[in-house]
Structure formats: C-alpha cells, structure tokens
Amino acid sequence: MTSKEISHEIVSNYFSHIFYVTEVREYTSTLIPILFNKTIDQIVANSLYFGANLTSLLKRTNNQIPRIIQDCYTFIKSRNFLDSEGIFRINGSHAKICKVVDLYNEKGEKFEILKHEGLWEYEVASILKKWFRDLPGSIWTTELKEKFLHYGETSEQEMVIGIKTLFLQLPPINQEIIKQLMVFLHIVSKHTANKMTAYNLSLIFAPTLFDLWLSGFKQASNILKSMIENPRLYWDVNIVYEENAKEKEKEEEEEKEEEKEEEKEKEQENEKVKLEIKFDPKVKIELSIFDQNSEEKEKENQQEKEKVKLEIKLDPKVKIELNILDQNSEEQSNNEIQKNN
C-alpha cells in the first residue's frame, strides 16, 4: 500500500469514528469537498512528504529541490558506501524504511536522515527509490513522457538531440532533480566494486522514474543508460568523482609491494652475501661472495691502487724502471733500484 492509499484510509477511518458507520470510504470524495472545500488528493498532497507533488512540496519547504534527495546522496557518499555491492538492487530493512518514511511525513524537512541511527546504505538507497516511486505521475511529466520514450528507440545521436530539446520544456525543478540524479548514478556506476553498471542502474530506475506499467520499459532504460553513462552529453556539469576506497587500497598495496621489491633488489646489488662455514667451535671460516657489479668495482679500486711505474731513460741502451707501490713497500723498491744499477 502506498503512502497515498494509507492517507485515504486514515481520512476514511476519521469519518468512520465521527459518523459511526462502516461504509464511509465511498462517500469521502463527496464529504470532504463539502466540509473542507478541498479534495482528498489535496489533503494528501498537503500533509505528506512522500507522495506529495513537487509544486506543493517545494512551496512548503522553500528549497530548490527536496532535501531528502541531497541527504540520501550525502549519506551514501560520505560514509564510503559507493563500493557496497548491489546498492540500489538489494532492499534494506522494511521496518527501518517505513520508520523513516513516517518520520519524514511527520516532520518534513525538519527530519535529518544523516542523524538517524541504525540506517545502512541499503535502507537509504531504498528510501530514495521509494520517494521517486511515490511521486504522483512521472518526473518527466504526463504531457512529455511519451515524447521522451519515443527517443528511446532512436540512434544515440538523435536521442541526445531530441531529449535535450524536450528537457527544456520540463519545469525547472524537474530538470534539476533529473540532472542531479543522473550525475549521482554516473558516479555510482564508476565504482566497479558495487557491480552497479549504467545498464543495471537503468533497469532499476526505468519503471520508477517513468511510472511504467506494461510498455515503454526498453525505451526508458535506453534513455537512462545513455544519461548515466554520459551525463556531459546532456548537461554542462563538473563531476567530482568520489574515491573508490577498495580500489585505492589495492593500488596502495601494490605500490608498497613494488617499493619493497625495488629495495630488496638494491640491497642484493649493493651488499655482499656472506657464507659462514663452521668446521669447529674454535674455527670459523668466512667466505665473501661478491656479485658481478661488486667484482667490477673491486677491480677498478685495485687498478687505482696499483703501483705507479716511473721510467727513467738515461740512454737508449739503458732503461731504469722505478716501481713505487706504497709507503710500506718504498724501501723494497729502493733496494731493487740499487740492484739494477
């Protein structure tokens, strides 16, 4: 039973208690206009938050769009629920959803879903879908809905041009709500962890947004899929993508692992591997094994430390070679020179 049907039941029960009759429901449509100068639909529209038409709702709230829409978007994004698998497909707790709907109908814009405890992403996603589902008629309006659906059977280019033209004929509030919803669903679709592609989301929202019964489902889903995949084709919007928490964690882990591997490789290149062979507790043999790079470096160092040869030629037939090794071997080199003389 919808909120509108429940409200009809409440009005009927009210008159039943007053007149002590049981078959009052069939007379309510006649009694209410006489007593209150209002139809039952007007009473429902002016007393509910779910099921109220947009014009009357915005007059009561003085907002650009109903706050519940932004609150649901903020709830899902701010609490990192965009990665939740099956969001908008899995229904939340029915009892919790009914409780929140009653609070909105009772308090209107004064109720803050962000401060309500015990709610999870699936309840909030279901509440958002229910608000759109309870709207009287279609968000595309009764007059233009069929014209929109017509472009769901055309090519992509013709669809975009036709829908953009029709879109301008919608009331400003309808335009803004549709635009914000499509941009939000586009962001949802970019989080692959939730498995909610543009196609899947279009199937879920098509009957809700277009108020469909038996026909028009394929056309409606084609339109929504195009809008969700490419919102910039329809509006000049700056989309701020939320961080994909799970994918970001994976990327960070992969980067850390790569850094660790690089550090290990550097250590293997720069450090010698020591092999200790122990034959006896009193005897310890240490064998140092160098890699190819370290061997080349060692050769270069040895070449730098090699003896400097000084050749003194006194005569073509006489050649004196002086080898200077280091400070310790200086005396040895002098002795060799004397011997040669």
Side-chain angles (χ1 to χ4, degrees):
M1 185 177 288
T2 65
S3 300
K4 189 172 182 179
E5 291 171 338
I6 293 171
S7 299
H8 277 264
E9 191 68 28
I10 293 172
V11 173
S12 298
N13 291 339
Y14 175 75
F15 278 95
S16 296
H17 286 295
I18 294 177
F19 296 106
Y20 298 98
V21 292
T22 57
E23 301 296 331
V24 175
R25 181 177 178 81
E26 58 184 289
Y27 301 108
T28 54
S29 60
T30 303
L31 291 169
I32 290 175
I34 294 174
L35 296 174
F36 300 100
N37 196 28
K38 289 183 178 180
T39 65
I40 192 168
D41 287 336
Q42 288 173 326
I43 290 179
V44 170
N46 291 327
S47 61
L48 296 179
Y49 195 86
F50 281 74
N53 65 66
L54 289 174
T55 304
S56 63
L57 182 59
L58 293 177
K59 283 181 179 178
R60 285 187 280 136
T61 60
N62 294 321
N63 288 339
Q64 185 181 8
I65 65 171
R67 203 188 72 192
I68 183 176
I69 298 176
Q70 285 295 342
D71 283 354
C72 289
Y73 296 165
T74 303
F75 185 99
I76 293 172
K77 290 190 293 186
S78 64
R79 303 190 184 184
N80 295 325
F81 288 142
L82 286 169
D83 293 327
S84 298
E85 183 175 344
I87 190 169
F88 288 111
R89 177 176 57 81
I90 300 174
N91 293 322
S93 166
H94 181 70
K96 292 180 180 179
I97 293 169
C98 291
K99 177 65 175 177
V100 171
V101 170
D102 290 340
L103 288 170
Y104 265 115
N105 286 335
E106 178 185 346
K107 300 181 180 181
E109 298 276 288
K110 293 181 180 179
F111 174 70
E112 297 183 39
I113 195 172
L114 294 170
K115 295 183 179 180
H116 190 71
E117 297 181 357
L119 289 179
W120 292 92
E121 64 272 40
Y122 299 112
E123 281 87 33
V124 175
S126 298
I127 289 166
L128 181 64
K129 288 189 296 183
K130 178 173 175 55
W131 186 87
F132 279 103
R133 187 169 58 249
D134 288 354
L135 281 176
S138 168
I139 191 72
W140 308 91
T141 72
T142 305
E143 296 77 16
L144 297 176
K145 182 177 78 171
E146 293 300 326
K147 294 181 179 179
F148 276 108
L149 290 175
H150 163 73
Y151 288 104
E153 297 178 309
T154 61
S155 65
E156 181 78 10
Q157 184 178 1
E158 187 177 352
M159 180 192 298
V160 173
I161 295 173
I163 288 178
K164 287 177 70 175
T165 303
L166 281 177
F167 195 77
L168 298 176
Q169 300 178 36
L170 290 172
I173 179 59
N174 296 52
Q175 294 184 35
E176 187 63 25
I177 290 175
I178 293 171
K179 181 179 74 173
Q180 290 195 21
L181 177 62
M182 294 301 109
V183 171
F184 175 68
L185 294 180
H186 171 74
I187 294 172
V188 172
S189 70
K190 291 301 179 182
H191 286 249
T192 55
N194 60 38
K195 298 182 179 180
M196 288 280 93
T197 63
Y199 175 72
N200 291 336
L201 290 168
S202 70
L203 296 180
I204 292 170
F205 279 88
T208 297
L209 296 181
F210 281 88
D211 193 29
L212 300 175
W213 290 95
L214 298 175
S215 62
F217 181 82
K218 182 179 179 181
Q219 297 93 315
S221 61
N222 287 341
I223 292 170
L224 294 184
K225 180 176 177 290
S226 175
M227 287 183 159
I228 294 170
E229 283 183 340
N230 304 296
R232 291 190 180 93
L233 291 178
Y234 298 89
W235 306 283
D236 182 17
V237 289
N238 181 25
I239 301 175
V240 178
Y241 294 97
E242 305 297 322
E243 292 183 350
N244 193 327
K246 291 184 179 179
E247 291 186 359
K248 187 180 180 183
E249 286 179 1
K250 289 182 180 179
E251 290 177 358
E252 290 178 350
E253 289 178 359
E254 290 176 356
E255 289 178 359
K256 289 180 180 179
E257 289 179 359
E258 289 178 358
E259 290 176 357
K260 288 180 180 179
E261 290 179 359
E262 289 178 359
E263 289 178 358
K264 286 181 180 180
E265 289 177 358
K266 289 179 180 178
E267 289 177 357
Q268 290 174 355
E269 290 176 0
N270 298 329
E271 292 182 358
K272 61 184 179 180
V273 180
K274 293 184 177 180
L275 177 62
E276 294 183 357
I277 304 174
K278 297 181 180 179
F279 292 97
D280 188 86
K282 296 180 180 179
V283 179
K284 182 178 180 182
I285 301 175
E286 183 176 52
L287 177 63
S288 296
I289 303 173
F290 296 88
D291 57 13
Q292 293 180 353
N293 295 329
S294 61
E295 286 179 358
E296 291 177 359
K297 291 180 179 178
E298 189 66 22
K299 287 179 181 179
E300 292 176 359
N301 293 333
Q302 288 176 357
Q303 289 174 358
E304 290 178 0
K305 294 179 179 180
E306 280 183 350
K307 59 185 178 180
V308 179
K309 293 182 179 181
L310 178 63
E311 295 182 0
I312 302 173
K313 295 182 180 181
L314 301 178
D315 190 87
K317 295 180 179 181
V318 180
K319 181 179 180 182
I320 300 174
E321 184 178 78
L322 178 63
N323 294 328
I324 302 176
L325 298 175
D326 53 19
Q327 292 180 353
N328 295 329
S329 61
E330 185 175 358
E331 294 179 357
Q332 183 180 354
S333 61
N334 291 331
N335 293 332
E336 288 179 356
I337 292 171
Q338 289 175 2
K339 287 179 181 180
N340 291 330
N341 288 334

